[in-house]
Amino acid sequence: MTTARVSTEPAGVLPRSGLHASLSAPLLDTMTFLNEVTLRYPQAISFAPGRPYEGDFDVARVPGLIETYLDHLRARGLSEDRVRTALYQYGETAGQIRDIVAGMLAVDEDMTVDPASVVVTVGCQEAVLLILRALFTGPDDVLLVDSPAYVGITGAASLLDIPVVPVPGTPDGPSLAGLERTVREIEASGRRARCLYVVPDCSNPTGVSMRREDRTALLDTAARLGLLLLEDNPYGVFSRVRRPTLKSLDTERRVVYLGSFAKTAFPGARVGFVVADQLVAGADGRPPGLLADEVAKVKSMVTVNTSSLSQAAVAGLLLQNGGGLRSANEASARHYQATMRCLRETLAAELPPGSSETAGVRWNDPDGGFFLTLDVPFEADEAALDVSAEKYGVIWTPMRHFHLDDAGDRQIRLSCSYLTTDHAVEGATRLARFVKDRSTTLGPV
Amino acid sequence: MTTARVSTEPAGVLPRSGLHASLSAPLLDTMTFLNEVTLRYPQAISFAPGRPYEGDFDVARVPGLIETYLDHLRARGLSEDRVRTALYQYGETAGQIRDIVAGMLAVDEDMTVDPASVVVTVGCQEAVLLILRALFTGPDDVLLVDSPAYVGITGAASLLDIPVVPVPGTPDGPSLAGLERTVREIEASGRRARCLYVVPDCSNPTGVSMRREDRTALLDTAARLGLLLLEDNPYGVFSRVRRPTLKSLDTERRVVYLGSFAKTAFPGARVGFVVADQLVAGADGRPPGLLADEVAKVKSMVTVNTSSLSQAAVAGLLLQNGGGLRSANEASARHYQATMRCLRETLAAELPPGSSETAGVRWNDPDGGFFLTLDVPFEADEAALDVSAEKYGVIWTPMRHFHLDDAGDRQIRLSCSYLTTDHAVEGATRLARFVKDRSTTLGPV
């Protein structure tokens, strides 16, 4: 037997990884930053993390969720040996709860989806990575993103060295004129716009939702431009206005639908999914296959399959709630609506319009969910954030982290999902004080 | 509310993905093939899947594993709120059980590892993908693999478009002369050999283990060539001969260590890890950081973090077994030794040396675990496999799937891990009959 040896003399210092060549440093650090800024100022109230509220979660319920799923398998006639295999063994790459996920989409979103087009993933983040790897065929393929954009999509693209081009956003979603112009410019440069990533409901980072008529128009424009749409819908369940998903309006398999259980079940489970019912050319003259099968092939090289424990827990939650999660999340939706209302009402009281102190300060009115955009008349950068956290005890996210260009310098993303209503009020009060002081110190715009 | 619409009219058929351009089709299909061939012939005895034996697993134990971990957190002084957060919420990207994993390496492998150099991953497959993405900096970086090689490493490399060059294997591991020659050839072509992937204990696919002296020699050769080593060790616990890991012999941080709980705990959990204590140059003159931190950054764009349920279950199992899994797996190790012995003894009885029927038939003597190499005097291809499965009721894996070159055409990988001893005997009897008939039909070599 060898005795233990500690590695103490480095063979040398390795060069920085390829990641740094393909990513701008701020982007690379953003996700870590978002997760860790709260730790740096433990006493501050944080509007930074896009985390779901956990006050209603009971850890003692978890074994029962798994048991519900196993009982479901037993009720379907599986022997105890096969039930054991389902929990213990390597599972189907595309997931063992695809039918249950498809059932949820029928119940919650009026979407009829073939379970064969579903791939269950390790959170929506893996779904994003897999679909990009399956869809993009060469260095001339460009990903479009509704800008500002969730860092998970730009991060995954960077990991795969996929070029990303922003499409300017409006208060109602992506600009269709901007989209068309961008696609034409990309084509003129000899490249191809492969797809547009968009969060139509209560978008991260802006809180913007697309109107129904804009959804139809986006589908029409995409059809005209020969563009696929990647629809990411983690927040739709929490909107006070219910609108059809792009995928439910899609009659020509133009939309790849990305889903997450991080907010409707719990993030620790790491379960998401992708619906990819597009047809892909077969090899050697064979008939076309499903894009979902290509996605599963990529998954076999990334995570092999999604944790059976996690799939069981999520499926158990669905089975305990009639197959959907919309009704099970009514209390959560009310909570998010209440914290958002507290945040907005406190801002309105503390930053009344018409005052010289509040010139250039405004915010939007999200339909629900997690995020709100606040415009301020000063640079909302890390230096400002440090002052805010240290002197005012309130944390937020600079919006420019979500921009690929130089925009968003004077915007803040506020997330109130993780807070109690009391904290939302107190946090907004502190934030208003910071904004007034900072605006006054730096003078009017 | 919109009514449901089914996507029925395809926008068109998409081109095949970039995956197909960078991968040879056989390789791409191998993992799916390995998982699904058993399903095609349900009555056949299968030596194909590298799955652990599940007969001793009790699904009723799983809630207790999670509870053990939560009690451990409570015993460390965490409040119920923080215990809830640990299970419910997004967790630390690098993992919440890094200290427990490091503890296991001390108990099971006499390895002293800083928990900060550990990243917990979604199975070892994610660890492989992440470390490749973090290590490889450009198109001139080449990955070396001990050939034949596990498809998980070549698959992950293909996903990232990393060129892979095989190093010829010997019955005792990679050829050091072949390694040096290969590295020199790569350098002469203006490229750089970045690292060598190797499974020193009971390798997949061959069952070969490296001798102790060859491990030291490999480390010396790697140091001379300026090469990192990726050591993958999923099977070491099951070897009847205990040898030091490369990492435990490594005094200069030359070895990145990949670990898996798929065989020692259970595959469905999807928990693996990487130990990456190498130093990486800091940005903008800042001090060097750990390679593990780079790996975690990549992970934040792949799966964000590993399922908290899965981490809890694996940690609970470790905590219930004194922090290690070697002793907890003694029964499993005995089982694998017994099935391997049944397989070899049956082959020896049915295919006695010296007969004209068995000319060119031989097999190796693995130290344990899952895999054995069988040489046959005919093409061991899919056509032969179909005959074997349909007519003889026995399934195996063509070894050429694990070769990047044309080698291995007359070799078979046999896995006996998933079988009972009775099935191993019956399967080996059927296999011997097939081998004799096929050798006779096709005539002597």
Side-chain angles (χ1 to χ4, degrees):
Chain A
M1 190 47 18
T2 178
T3 52
R5 294 210 216 171
V6 192
S7 299
T8 46
E9 301 165 55
V13 177
L14 304 173
R16 284 164 67 73
S17 76
L19 220 54
H20 297 273
S22 61
L23 282 173
S24 66
L27 175 63
L28 183 66
D29 294 330
T30 298
M31 288 181 85
T32 311
F33 170 80
L34 289 177
N35 285 329
E36 293 180 354
V37 67
T38 313
L39 296 174
R40 281 197 289 149
Y41 300 101
Q43 301 310 318
I45 292 175
S46 179
F47 289 107
R51 299 182 161 201
Y53 180 67
E54 64 189 78
D56 300 326
F57 186 78
D58 182 1
V59 293
R61 276 191 65 199
V62 171
L65 298 178
I66 296 173
E67 198 53 38
T68 295
Y69 174 65
L70 299 183
D71 282 344
H72 163 80
L73 296 182
R74 291 177 185 118
R76 281 174 51 196
L78 266 68
S79 66
E80 276 308 306
D81 276 3
R82 288 193 58 199
V83 168
R84 180 182 63 198
T85 300
L87 200 66
Y88 173 86
Q89 204 52 271
Y90 292 104
E92 209 184 338
T93 305
Q96 58 194 75
I97 61 167
R98 293 198 281 173
D99 54 336
I100 296 175
V101 171
M104 177 195 74
L105 292 172
V107 170
D108 284 348
E109 305 293 346
D110 277 328
M111 283 161 62
T112 306
V113 157
D114 180 355
S117 67
V118 175
V119 179
V120 181
T121 54
V122 181
C124 190
Q125 185 62 37
E126 191 196 24
V128 164
L129 184 84
L130 300 181
I131 193 70
L132 291 182
R133 185 61 182 84
L135 271 182
F136 282 70
T137 56
D140 291 332
D141 279 354
V142 174
L143 170 68
L144 304 178
V145 296
D146 179 25
S147 182
Y150 171 53
V151 292
I153 182 74
T154 42
S158 301
L159 188 63
L160 296 170
D161 296 317
I162 291 172
V164 183
V165 173
V167 171
T170 75
D172 298 306
S175 155
L176 296 187
L179 173 61
E180 177 143 11
R181 194 171 54 244
T182 306
V183 169
R184 299 300 179 209
E185 283 168 6
I186 288 166
E187 284 172 354
S189 72
R191 296 176 301 164
R192 178 175 63 147
R194 193 81 189 86
C195 56
L196 170 69
Y197 172 86
V198 61
V199 185
D201 291 278
C202 312
S203 175
N204 180 5
T206 59
V208 162
S209 293
M210 291 179 68
R211 294 174 301 197
R212 158 106 200 208
E213 60 269 30
D214 292 336
R215 296 174 189 231
T216 314
L218 175 59
L219 282 162
D220 291 345
T221 304
R224 195 155 40 76
L225 297 171
L227 202 62
L228 289 171
L229 299 174
L230 296 187
E231 176 180 33
D232 191 1
N233 186 21
Y235 310 110
V237 157
F238 307 110
S239 177
R240 67 185 172 218
V241 187
R242 186 164 169 188
R243 301 185 183 89
T245 63
L246 291 174
K247 185 65 186 158
S248 71
L249 299 171
D250 172 26
T251 55
E252 50 179 25
R253 307 194 193 192
R254 189 162 296 288
V255 179
V256 172
Y257 184 85
L258 300 162
S260 170
F261 290 100
K263 280 77 187 181
T264 52
F266 61 109
R270 311 302 311 123
V271 182
F273 62 93
V274 56
V275 180
D277 59 4
Q278 286 69 27
L279 296 179
V280 177
D284 312 321
R286 275 181 284 177
L290 278 175
L291 181 57
D293 295 338
E294 301 288 299
V295 169
K297 282 179 192 163
V298 181
K299 182 171 171 69
S300 72
M301 298 167 206
V302 176
T303 58
V304 183
N305 58 257
T306 302
S307 161
S308 59
L309 292 176
S310 294
Q311 291 189 77
V314 164
L317 192 63
L318 282 161
L319 291 163
Q320 288 181 6
N321 288 282
L325 287 176
R326 191 175 278 275
S327 59
N329 273 286
E330 279 173 7
S332 302
R334 276 197 300 275
H335 172 78
Y336 297 134
Q337 297 289 348
T339 50
M340 185 67 84
R341 200 164 48 241
C342 288
L343 167 60
R344 296 187 74 251
E345 287 175 1
T346 306
L347 290 178
E350 301 288 329
L351 297 166
S355 133
S356 67
E357 280 179 310
T358 61
V361 181
R362 68 186 73 84
W363 53 91
N364 65 349
D365 184 12
D367 283 335
F370 285 42
F371 305 106
L372 174 143
T373 303
L374 174 68
D375 293 329
V376 292
F378 53 83
E379 296 270 315
D381 54 11
E382 266 87 351
L385 176 55
D386 268 336
V387 172
S388 176
E390 195 186 334
K391 300 260 166 56
Y392 296 84
V394 61
I395 292 172
W396 37 267
T397 310
M399 189 66 86
R400 70 187 179 86
H401 283 167
F402 304 98
H403 282 273
L404 293 170
D405 47 26
D406 294 333
D409 274 7
R410 292 170 177 239
Q411 281 191 328
I412 280 172
R413 185 191 80 168
L414 297 178
S415 168
C416 53
S417 55
Y418 189 61
L419 301 176
T420 61
T421 48
D422 284 353
H423 275 121
V425 170
E426 173 61 23
T429 307
R430 295 180 187 184
L431 180 66
R433 207 175 307 137
F434 163 73
V435 168
K436 278 193 284 194
D437 287 357
R438 191 86 177 174
S439 306
T440 313
T441 311
L442 300 179
V445 241
Chain B
M1 190 49 16
T2 178
T3 53
R5 294 211 216 170
V6 192
S7 298
T8 47
E9 299 165 58
V13 176
L14 304 173
R16 286 165 65 74
S17 76
L19 221 54
H20 297 271
S22 61
L23 283 173
S24 68
L27 175 62
L28 184 67
D29 295 329
T30 298
M31 287 180 86
T32 310
F33 171 80
L34 290 177
N35 285 329
E36 293 179 354
V37 68
T38 313
L39 296 174
R40 281 198 288 149
Y41 300 100
Q43 302 310 319
I45 292 176
S46 179
F47 290 106
R51 298 182 160 201
Y53 180 67
E54 63 190 79
D56 300 326
F57 185 78
D58 181 1
V59 294
R61 277 191 65 200
V62 170
L65 298 177
I66 296 173
E67 198 53 37
T68 295
Y69 174 66
L70 298 182
D71 282 344
H72 163 79
L73 296 181
R74 292 178 184 117
R76 281 172 52 195
L78 265 67
S79 66
E80 276 309 305
D81 276 3
R82 289 192 59 198
V83 168
R84 181 182 62 198
T85 300
L87 201 65
Y88 174 86
Q89 204 52 272
Y90 293 104
E92 208 184 339
T93 305
Q96 59 195 72
I97 61 166
R98 293 199 280 175
D99 54 336
I100 295 174
V101 171
M104 177 195 73
L105 292 172
V107 170
D108 283 348
E109 303 293 347
D110 277 328
M111 282 161 62
T112 307
V113 157
D114 180 356
S117 68
V118 175
V119 179
V120 181
T121 55
V122 181
C124 189
Q125 186 62 37
E126 191 197 22
V128 164
L129 184 84
L130 301 181
I131 193 70
L132 290 183
R133 186 61 181 86
L135 271 182
F136 282 71
T137 57
D140 292 332
D141 279 355
V142 174
L143 170 68
L144 304 178
V145 296
D146 179 25
S147 182
Y150 172 52
V151 292
I153 182 74
T154 41
S158 302
L159 189 63
L160 297 170
D161 296 316
I162 292 172
V164 183
V165 173
V167 171
T170 76
D172 298 305
S175 153
L176 295 187
L179 173 62
E180 179 145 8
R181 192 172 55 244
T182 306
V183 170
R184 298 301 178 208
E185 282 168 7
I186 288 167
E187 284 172 354
S189 71
R191 296 176 300 164
R192 178 175 64 147
R194 193 81 190 84
C195 56
L196 170 70
Y197 172 86
V198 61
V199 185
D201 291 277
C202 311
S203 175
N204 182 2
T206 59
V208 162
S209 292
M210 292 178 69
R211 294 174 301 197
R212 158 104 200 209
E213 60 269 30
D214 291 336
R215 296 174 190 233
T216 314
L218 175 60
L219 282 162
D220 290 346
T221 304
R224 195 155 39 76
L225 296 171
L227 201 63
L228 288 171
L229 298 174
L230 297 188
E231 176 180 32
D232 191 1
N233 186 20
Y235 310 109
V237 157
F238 307 109
S239 177
R240 66 185 173 220
V241 187
R242 187 164 169 188
R243 301 185 184 87
T245 64
L246 291 173
K247 186 66 187 157
S248 70
L249 299 170
D250 172 27
T251 55
E252 47 179 24
R253 307 195 192 192
R254 189 162 297 286
V255 179
V256 173
Y257 185 85
L258 300 162
S260 170
F261 290 100
K263 280 78 187 180
T264 52
F266 61 109
R270 310 302 311 125
V271 182
F273 62 92
V274 55
V275 180
D277 60 3
Q278 286 69 26
L279 296 179
V280 176
D284 313 322
R286 276 181 282 178
L290 277 176
L291 181 57
D293 295 338
E294 301 288 299
V295 170
K297 282 179 193 165
V298 181
K299 182 172 171 69
S300 73
M301 297 167 208
V302 176
T303 59
V304 183
N305 58 257
T306 302
S307 161
S308 59
L309 292 176
S310 295
Q311 290 189 76
V314 164
L317 192 64
L318 282 161
L319 292 163
Q320 288 181 7
N321 288 283
L325 287 176
R326 191 175 278 275
S327 58
N329 273 285
E330 278 172 8
S332 302
R334 275 196 302 275
H335 171 78
Y336 297 134
Q337 296 289 347
T339 49
M340 185 67 84
R341 199 164 49 241
C342 289
L343 167 61
R344 296 185 75 251
E345 287 174 1
T346 307
L347 290 178
E350 301 289 329
L351 298 166
S355 133
S356 68
E357 280 180 313
T358 61
V361 181
R362 67 185 75 84
W363 51 92
N364 65 349
D365 184 12
D367 283 334
F370 285 42
F371 306 106
L372 174 141
T373 303
L374 174 68
D375 293 329
V376 292
F378 52 83
E379 296 271 316
D381 54 12
E382 266 87 351
L385 176 55
D386 268 337
V387 172
S388 176
E390 196 186 334
K391 301 258 167 58
Y392 297 83
V394 62
I395 292 172
W396 38 265
T397 310
M399 188 67 87
R400 70 185 180 88
H401 283 167
F402 304 99
H403 282 273
L404 293 170
D405 46 26
D406 293 332
D409 272 6
R410 294 173 175 235
Q411 281 191 329
I412 281 172
R413 185 190 81 168
L414 296 178
S415 169
C416 53
S417 56
Y418 188 61
L419 301 177
T420 61
T421 47
D422 285 352
H423 275 121
V425 170
E426 173 60 23
T429 307
R430 296 181 187 183
L431 180 66
R433 209 175 309 137
F434 164 73
V435 168
K436 277 192 286 193
D437 287 357
R438 191 86 177 172
S439 305
T440 313
T441 312
L442 300 179
V445 241

